[in-house]
Amino acid sequence: TKEANNRALTLQVRHETERAQSEAAHNKQLAVAEAKRGDALHQANATLEDLAVIGLEIMGSLNAQAVLNALNHHVHKLLDSTTFGILLLEPDGKTLVTVLNMEDGQELPEERYALDDPHSNLARCARERIEINMALEPGMVYATQIRGTMVTLSALYAPMLVGARLFGAITIQSPKPHAYGERETAIFRTLCAYGGIALANGTAFEAAEQARQLAEQAQ
């Protein structure tokens, strides 16, 4: 009977030890998860603050080139964007033309896409006014890849809109797979909105200046 009691006590102690270890491991997992959540919230708040400052900078300029330069600077700072392109819609409303086309710090040749081009994701995102998030598998090649440029495995495309008016399209691309999740897409969307508004303001300002100069010449 004494031996049986000792065995039972040993089993009970082992059970209590295992339970304590399991609870400790669970509490450690909770602590790690909470720390990660706090870090994610901190990063999100920091990003929101950065975007607010960037918005003031971009939308405070009436110079188109200054807007393009600011977008180019900040998109590389906030996102993995080995390739970055901005295309504006020509006055005929039928053609997109690159005004900024960079890859790994090097300027690429000018590109032109008909708005009804069935193969171009840039044309499609502008035409249908939708965001496109593409993830390609290694070895895949898409129809509009420029010969001699880097292989793209992740790409984001978005239209530049101000209200119902289409100004152009923006794309960022990366050789890394699955580079753009929800956070990156939200940042990209915000930058596109800033760019569209700033370019619209610049266009309106230039039109007003031209009208003023014509009026002065007519006097």
Side-chain angles (χ1 to χ4, degrees), residues 33-123:
E34 188 63 24
K36 287 183 177 179
R37 190 178 74 87
D39 185 54
L41 286 174
H42 175 74
Q43 290 181 1
N45 289 334
T47 301
L48 288 174
E49 291 174 2
D50 288 343
L51 285 172
V53 173
I54 292 168
L56 290 174
E57 176 188 345
I58 293 175
M59 293 189 293
S61 176
L62 295 174
N63 180 276
Q65 190 58 51
V67 171
L68 297 177
N69 292 340
L71 286 170
N72 185 45
H73 171 73
H74 291 297
V75 77
H76 290 301
K77 181 180 175 182
L78 295 173
L79 298 168
D80 185 339
S81 51
T82 305
T83 301
F84 178 47
I86 300 178
L87 297 91
L88 296 183
L89 187 65
E90 291 201 321
D92 63 5
K94 298 179 181 180
T95 310
L96 292 166
V97 181
T98 54
V99 291
L100 185 69
N101 198 16
M102 305 292 293
E103 181 184 83
D104 200 22
Q106 301 297 317
E107 189 172 354
L108 295 175
E110 179 185 284
E111 296 178 61
R112 303 174 69 88
Y113 298 96
L115 198 60
D116 59 359
D117 187 331
H119 303 295
S120 169
N121 287 306
L122 278 163

Side-chain angles (χ1 to χ4, degrees), residues 140-152:
M140 291 180 64
V141 178
Y142 53 97
T144 55
Q145 181 171 340
I146 303 172
R147 184 182 298 275
T149 59
M150 298 175 66
V151 174
T152 292

Side-chain angles (χ1 to χ4, degrees), residues 119-132:
H119 303 295
S120 169
N121 287 306
L122 278 163
R124 181 188 165 207
C125 86
R127 181 175 65 249
E128 300 181 12
R129 306 185 180 205
I130 58 171
E131 294 175 356
I132 300 175

